[in-house]
Amino acid sequence: MNDKAPLRARAEIDLAALRANVRTLLARAGGAQLMAVVKSDAYGHGAVPCARAALEAGATWLGTATPQEALALRAAGLGGRIMCWLWTPGGPWREAIEADIDVSVSGTWALREAVDAARAAGRTARIQLKADTGLGRNGCLPADWPELIAGARSAEDAGDVRITGLWSHFACADEPGHPSIAAQLNVFHDMLAYAEKAGVRPEVRHIANSPATLTVPESHFDLVRTGIAVYGLSPSPELGVPADYGLRPVMTLAASLALVKQAPAGHGVSYGHHYTTPTGTTLGLVPVGYADGIPRHASGRGPVLVDGRIRTVAGRVAMDQFVVDLEGDRPGPGSEAVLFGPGDRGEPGAEDWAVAAGTIAYEIVTRIGARVPRVHLHATDATDATDVTAGPRYDTVVAGTGTGTGHDGNGSTAG
Ligand SMILES: *Cc1c(COP(=O)(O)O)cnc(C)c1O
């Protein structure tokens, strides 16, 4: 592929910004280690290049949801500690143990499968026990903790496992001052104390996600698990904007206008004619749609920077395209439409699309489809000192090729 060829659409991933975000978060973490959470193809940013950049910037752990995602990181040659937490019976325990991946255990069925796999592999499994301190999702409830701890300790004494971590996850860390935050910390302290009394000597204890890393210092323990903040986005509007924390958005989503045309007054636009031109005007065709992850719920609302001005999606977002009313402006076909980015040129942020679609910025970036090529900029540390006048450096351009293939080209993620 010609790296410089104009693309229908592209998601530029600024790895220098990602590295700077990791360093900023490490400075906030008060001596705790940092796990870069790179699940779901690094929230749509490309798992392997993002994981590599995070480690370069000082992250010592990588986190994924599924074991397949974790195994793909190792297969791509990534070192450092890797942990994955979303297991189902029959999962690839043995492969994970052999790849030196920390596996999370939330219940006795998982402990049994980890022990069996460790014996089959002839290795000690690194397991992290997950506590449900109040999220009410995955994890072991306090009432079941003694049984899990007892089982894990005897497996440890038998040499089948080593309990490397004790951990939990917050329900409402993105709502500063929510009473559940202190309540969960209390429960976590109790469950840690119980485990330690039973002889558990974990390498890491951790509970903080991005919002807790940014706003709850007493939650940092030995390790913080940051996802959204690594990608330079604010966890919630209540926490403010990325710049409030010295974070810079990593993804810029842009497309090339496919058509600009004069239309008469009273002309219906896109499916259902939910927009009608109020006067004679110019219409611009932006060639991305809900198949690319542009939320259909943002029909009539999503903001786009075109030719120096913010325009709004006119009518429905279709599968592959949507229209903006350019009110007489006539940028040429091929002109850039910037849906979101760090804001340097006045473009909207992913948070603005989240508001337009009634969702969170996490979902906006994570759902950008496999059809949109990820263009990774500043893949090496040497390019951190960006000369802005030199324009973007297209270090890698890897187009998504459809389902089952990661954007990094190693077939890593299921999206
Ligand atoms: C996704 C996830 C994180 C990261 O959350 P952010 O809010 O993106 O920082 C941390 N821990 C677990 C268990 C997760 O599933």
Side-chain angles (χ1 to χ4, degrees), residues 37 39 43 85 130 137 167 169 209-211 225-228 362:
V37 178
K39 62 190 180 187
Y43 295 35
W85 46 77
K130 181 168 194 191
R137 203 176 66 180
W167 73 293
H169 195 39
N209 54 3
S210 291
R225 300 188 310 273
T226 46
I228 199 72
Y362 293 73

Side-chain angles (χ1 to χ4, degrees), residues 22-372:
V22 168
R23 288 192 281 262
T24 297
L25 291 166
L26 271 168
R28 270 201 179 254
Q33 297 183 67
L34 185 139
M35 174 189 290
V37 178
V38 294
K39 62 190 180 187
S40 195
D41 207 23
Y43 295 35
H45 294 66
V48 169
C50 289
R52 198 169 280 136
L55 293 179
E56 284 166 5
T60 43
W61 288 77
L62 300 171
T64 69
T66 71
Q68 288 79 10
E69 293 172 316
L71 286 164
L73 294 175
R74 275 285 187 259
L78 284 153
R81 289 275 164 232
I82 300 180
M83 171 181 178
C84 60
W85 46 77
L86 193 57
W87 287 88
T88 46
W93 297 96
R94 179 170 176 175
E95 292 86 337
I97 291 162
E98 288 176 341
D100 199 27
I101 289 166
D102 284 45
V103 300
S104 179
V105 165
S106 289
T108 49
W109 75 262
L111 180 61
R112 266 195 309 278
E113 294 204 4
V115 166
D116 289 348
R119 288 186 185 151
R123 289 181 63 146
T124 301
R126 293 176 54 90
I127 69 168
Q128 299 213 17
L129 303 179
K130 181 168 194 191
D132 181 353
T133 55
L135 174 59
R137 203 176 66 180
N138 211 346
C140 179
L141 282 164
D144 302 321
W145 194 239
E147 184 191 6
L148 185 63
I149 293 291
R153 280 289 299 119
S154 56
E156 193 165 51
D157 285 341
D160 294 323
V161 307
R162 155 124 184 80
I163 305 167
T164 54
L166 298 172
W167 73 293
S168 190
H169 195 39
F170 282 117
C172 309
D174 57 346
E175 298 175 49
H178 194 285
S180 69
I181 298 170
Q184 283 197 255
L185 278 173
N186 281 335
V187 175
F188 192 45
H189 278 290
D190 288 348
M191 293 173 86
L192 290 177
Y194 182 94
E196 282 160 20
K197 219 167 153 191
V200 177
R201 298 288 176 264
E203 295 169 14
V204 285
R205 300 158 302 160
H206 49 108
I207 187 170
N209 54 3
S210 291
T213 301
L214 295 174
T215 65
V216 190
E218 64 273 28
S219 73
H220 293 166
F221 291 91
D222 308 308
L223 172 69
V224 297
R225 300 188 310 273
T226 46
I228 199 72
V230 166
Y231 308 105
L233 299 176
S234 171
S236 72
E238 283 183 78
L239 258 66
V241 298
D244 294 340
Y245 302 96
L247 300 170
R248 179 173 168 79
V250 170
M251 183 188 291
T252 298
L253 182 67
S256 301
L257 288 185
L259 185 69
V260 176
K261 66 184 176 191
Q262 181 73 36
H267 201 77
V269 172
S270 193
Y271 292 130
H273 282 178
H274 290 278
Y275 183 80
T276 304
T277 53
T279 59
T281 188
T282 47
L283 298 175
L285 182 63
V286 182
V288 287
Y290 61 77
D292 302 297
I294 311 308
R296 190 168 177 274
H297 274 87
S299 293
R301 286 196 292 272
V304 193
L305 180 72
V306 184
D307 206 21
R309 294 183 62 180
I310 298 282
R311 304 297 185 181
T312 302
V313 176
R316 282 216 178 121
V317 174
M319 184 182 290
D320 314 301
Q321 42 195 305
F322 65 82
V323 174
V324 289
D325 188 335
L326 297 173
E327 297 181 304
D329 283 2
R330 296 181 166 278
S335 295
E336 194 174 44
V338 186
L339 284 79
F340 58 82
D344 299 354
R345 292 173 287 169
E347 74 273 21
E351 291 90 349
D352 297 310
W353 276 86
V355 169
T359 183
I360 54 177
Y362 293 73
E363 189 176 4
I364 297 298
V365 291
T366 303
R367 288 176 71 115
I368 297 306
R371 199 167 64 173
V372 177

